[in-house]
């Protein structure tokens, strides 16, 4: 049964390399699932959290740590297997029954690919909303806008740290709230 009460907003951080060249034998691995809910009726953003994921097919590079703040120690302390992270998303947010969204296509594509590659059940439903082009259309902008720039366009501050999954999901939800208002 479809639940229209909330939109689940996600932002993924993943292993990355400064030269964008994935080393032979490695694959991009999700390191963090940032997630929150946008309550449709009120515009309230709730249930913000970071779910840290142990990479299975690649290493965290110094470039990745500098960009995201995710360290080996953080993953050792808080990281869980990808399948367990997907289970938490499914059980706590019920995204199979709701519209889910992200700022750009990377989050949907990477989540689908990693689930397929690791044979983990896809935790989300079929209804994905890409906030970025919707924002540009609403604002009558030519060319895509990054998340920080989108927030500046609507005179909203960026809350938290850029490239932190939970903070980016929260800020993407703020942009979506503006679109829906």
């Amino acid at each position: 049964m479809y639940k229209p009460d909330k939109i689940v907003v996600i932002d993924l951080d993943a292993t990355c390399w400064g030269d964008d060249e994935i080393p032979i034998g490695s694959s991009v691995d999700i390191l963090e699932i940032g997630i929150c809910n946008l309550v449709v009726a009120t515009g309230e953003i709730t249930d913000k959290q970071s779910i840290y994921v142990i990479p299975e097919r690649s290493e965290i590079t110094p470039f990745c740590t500098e960009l995201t703040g995710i360290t080996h120690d953080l993953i050792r302390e808080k990281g869980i297997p990808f399948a367990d992270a997907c289970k938490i998303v499914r059980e706590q947010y019920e995204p199979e029954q709701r519209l889910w969204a992200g700022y750009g296509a990377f989050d949907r594509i990477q989540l689908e690919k990693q689930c397929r590659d690791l044979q983990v059940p896809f935790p989300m439903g079929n209804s994905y909303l890409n906030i970025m082009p919707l924002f540009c259309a609403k604002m009558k902008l030519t060319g895509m806008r990054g998340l920080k720039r989108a927030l500046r366009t609507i005179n909203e501050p960026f809350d938290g740290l850029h490239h932190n999954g939970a903070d980016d999901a929260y800020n993407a939800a703020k942009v979506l709230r503006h679109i829906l208002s």
Side-chain angles (χ1 to χ4, degrees), residues 38-50:
L38 174 61
V39 180
V40 175
T42 65
E44 183 183 9
I45 301 168
T46 64
D47 308 310
K48 174 184 158 187
Q49 74 168 310
S50 289

Side-chain angles (χ1 to χ4, degrees), residues 23-122:
I24 295 171
S26 293
S27 293
V28 175
D29 277 314
I30 295 168
L31 295 172
E32 178 186 9
I33 301 171
I35 191 166
C36 63
N37 282 315
L38 174 61
V39 180
V40 175
T42 65
E44 183 183 9
I45 301 168
T46 64
D47 308 310
K48 174 184 158 187
Q49 74 168 310
S50 289
I51 303 167
Y52 292 101
V53 180
I54 300 166
E56 298 180 37
R57 304 165 300 168
S58 60
E59 297 292 322
I60 302 170
T61 64
F63 173 82
C64 189
T65 295
E66 186 177 324
L67 182 67
T68 67
I70 298 172
T71 64
H72 293 282
D73 289 342
L74 177 63
I75 293 299
R76 268 195 296 279
E77 180 185 327
K78 296 183 178 181
I80 59 175
F82 177 67
D84 293 346
C86 288
K87 184 177 179 185
I88 288 170
V89 168
R90 221 176 4 265
E91 290 175 354
Q92 290 184 12
Y93 293 87
E94 301 178 308
E96 294 166 309
Q97 301 170 15
R98 292 186 166 95
L99 180 63
W100 64 289
Y103 199 84
F106 170 79
D107 302 304
R108 178 189 57 78
I109 293 167
Q110 181 59 35
L111 189 58
E112 287 175 347
K113 182 179 184 328
Q114 191 158 330
C115 285
R116 186 175 52 252
D117 290 353
L118 299 179
Q119 299 179 336
V120 171
F122 188 63

Side-chain angles (χ1 to χ4, degrees), residues 7-10 99-109 126-138 144-145 172 175-176 179:
I7 300 171
V8 180
V9 182
I10 70 164
L99 180 63
W100 64 289
Y103 199 84
F106 170 79
D107 302 304
R108 178 189 57 78
I109 293 167
N126 294 324
S127 300
Y128 178 76
L129 177 64
N130 185 340
I131 299 167
M132 185 190 312
L134 187 59
F135 173 76
C136 292
K138 169 149 178 137
M144 295 298 143
R145 294 276 199 274
V175 174
L176 182 55
I179 293 166

